[in-house]
Amino acid sequence: MEKINAAITAVGAYVPEYRLTNKILETMIDTTDEWIKTRTGIDERRILKGEGLGSSDMGFEAVNDLLKKRGISPDEIDCIICATVTPDMVFPATANIIGDKSGLKNAFGFDISAACSGFLYALTVGSSLIESGRYKKVIVVGVDKMSAIVDYTDRTTCVIFGDGAGAVLLEPTQDPIGVMDSILKSDGSGRQFLHMKAGGSLKPASTETVAAKEHYVYQEGQSVFKFAVKGMADVSYELMQRNNLTGDDISWLVPHQANLRIIDATANRMSLPKEKVMININKYGNTTAATIPLCLWEWESKLKKGDNIILAAFGGGFTWGATLVKWAYDSK
Ligand code: UT7
């Protein structure tokens, strides 16, 4: 029997309308547009405003966009996997809530918590479901409402993050295209540098944890930066070596958008010129699990069938990884 590959056959996304610019941040905290631009590459980020709106609302928009573009009914979806660290609630899974809002009546769903690498983890798991031959249509969503867990008085974190959602559809093919290979890694000892202190079973929410601001992102930026630069570049290089690819064979690098300096280091290690690197951190900041599908969505019209694309990420956990995708379609 021919091997079944998992092809990405559609991309959808959603970003909120409200733009939190560096200029606005200058009025909120002790920072400057110049510091943020030179240290991170970010000009503005989108924020989901409005009562009663959570990650599932952005995920729903991305899934809707994807279903419309592919021209299929929600009933056809077998499974939805949602990568997020900002679920609507601790349980049930946000995938289930997106499924309900999108009318996915025949799909099972679950969440994956791998922070900034969440989309790559979910894409790898979703691809395995397709490759098994048992499932025909799997949606992978990467969504985060980082504004829900960011302290807007902490200048070291609030300038970095933004909100957004992206989704891809995976379908089987026997052509040599689709999600071809993946190297995923994690090291839990890195949790000390990037985590949320309270709200889990270790330290449940209390008036004390709220007063101590322990429900926000805690990050030791410089330490994370050092691990991220090495981790993302090493794993991308390893994936290229394993697949006998040189920089010339790669059409696009799709890096997690955490810091322009981390992106540049990864591209250098892969011997890729800037023109081959998808960068939209300037517009959206770090949307955690959504950065990679947001790039695919924005660059979709430029992608060609057969393009070798490397997706790469590093984030909380620590988690990191790289995935090789052979693009499956030309845009209409
Ligand atoms: O996606 C999840 C994984 N996360 C990442 O990959 C993030 C990795 N880390 C980073 O991207 C960077 O470490 C940051 C962007 C978070 C910070 O940049 P940095 O170049 O590492 O700055 P730093 O923390 O070393 O701080 C340098 C200085 C400090 O002042 P002093 O001590 O030198 O006087 C900070 O207090 O910059 C100060 N600073 C700021 N100044 C103006 C920190 N944040 C700001 C700010 N505006 N927003």
Side-chain angles (χ1 to χ4, degrees):
M1 212 175 80
E2 287 283 313
K3 182 181 180 294
I4 300 170
N5 288 317
I8 294 175
T9 56
V11 188
Y14 175 78
V15 286
E17 265 172 41
Y18 180 78
R19 293 158 195 260
L20 178 59
T21 61
N22 291 349
K23 282 279 162 213
I24 299 174
L25 281 168
E26 281 181 352
T27 68
M28 295 162 60
I29 44 165
D30 180 16
T31 193
T32 59
D33 176 46
E34 213 252 322
W35 189 97
I36 302 173
K37 268 194 193 137
T38 51
R39 301 295 255 239
T40 70
I42 303 169
D43 294 328
E44 60 182 39
R45 60 294 287 140
R46 301 298 181 95
I47 304 293
L48 184 65
K49 294 272 186 185
E51 280 295 303
L53 295 175
S55 288
S56 72
D57 296 286
M58 294 190 287
F60 156 73
E61 296 283 358
V63 167
N64 234 3
D65 183 29
L66 176 154
L67 291 173
K68 251 193 241 148
K69 273 162 97 175
R70 182 75 181 88
I72 54 172
S73 142
D75 295 345
E76 293 180 50
I77 304 302
D78 301 311
C79 173
I80 174 166
I81 308 174
C82 178
T84 187
V85 286
T86 51
D88 279 19
M89 40 188 89
V90 173
F91 74 93
T94 300
N96 300 147
I97 306 173
I98 298 172
D100 178 45
K101 290 179 177 172
S102 309
L104 310 185
K105 296 208 169 49
N106 299 314
F108 71 101
F110 58 95
D111 286 1
I112 283 185
S113 173
C116 302
S117 312
F119 183 77
L120 294 191
Y121 276 45
L123 187 67
T124 305
V125 172
S127 298
S128 307
L129 294 177
I130 295 284
E131 287 160 10
S132 76
R134 198 173 293 178
Y135 303 101
K136 304 283 180 250
K137 287 186 172 56
V138 174
I139 290 177
V140 175
V141 184
V143 57
D144 271 299
K145 183 186 169 188
M146 294 306 291
S147 62
I149 58 167
V150 162
D151 175 2
Y152 284 95
T153 64
D154 174 9
R155 69 176 183 170
T156 67
T157 52
C158 77
V159 301
I160 307 169
F161 294 103
D163 301 340
V168 298
L169 179 66
L170 295 171
E171 295 186 72
T173 175
Q174 293 193 335
D175 294 341
I177 49 173
V179 179
M180 307 309 288
D181 194 13
S182 224
I183 302 176
L184 301 178
K185 310 213 178 205
S186 57
D187 177 359
S189 68
R191 68 189 182 281
Q192 59 182 304
F193 303 114
L194 182 50
H195 59 261
M196 185 188 288
K197 294 198 177 300
S201 59
L202 187 66
K203 200 172 192 189
S206 66
T207 48
E208 287 79 20
T209 62
V210 172
K213 297 187 166 190
E214 290 179 345
H215 297 273
Y216 292 126
V217 173
Y218 170 83
Q219 175 169 262
E220 291 177 27
Q222 265 190 25
S223 306
V224 177
F225 186 91
K226 277 181 211 145
F227 283 104
V229 165
K230 182 164 167 29
M232 211 158 103
D234 281 356
V235 78
S236 304
Y237 188 72
E238 192 183 335
L239 188 71
M240 285 171 73
Q241 296 260 296
R242 183 155 110 173
N243 287 277
N244 298 315
L245 297 169
T246 66
D248 290 343
D249 304 315
I250 310 290
S251 301
W252 295 99
L253 167 67
V254 191
H256 170 54
Q257 313 279 308
N259 189 312
L260 194 53
R261 291 179 288 149
I262 301 173
I263 296 173
D264 288 345
T266 305
N268 279 342
R269 182 80 191 282
M270 296 168 72
S271 311
L272 286 184
K274 255 225 150 110
E275 306 79 65
K276 288 188 174 183
V277 185
M278 296 189 195
I279 297 170
N280 60 13
I281 190 172
N282 51 314
K283 292 197 287 188
Y284 305 129
N286 180 352
T287 54
T288 305
T291 58
I292 290 174
L294 272 176
C295 282
L296 292 175
W297 169 70
E298 201 172 334
W299 267 263
E300 187 187 15
S301 63
K302 293 198 174 74
L303 303 180
K304 300 207 171 48
K305 188 171 178 177
D307 276 355
N308 283 318
I309 303 177
I310 289 190
L311 321 177
F314 187 96
F318 290 138
T319 57
W320 67 107
T323 299
L324 172 64
V325 173
K326 221 175 227 309
W327 198 248
Y329 60 97
D330 293 320
S331 271
K332 285 159 213 135

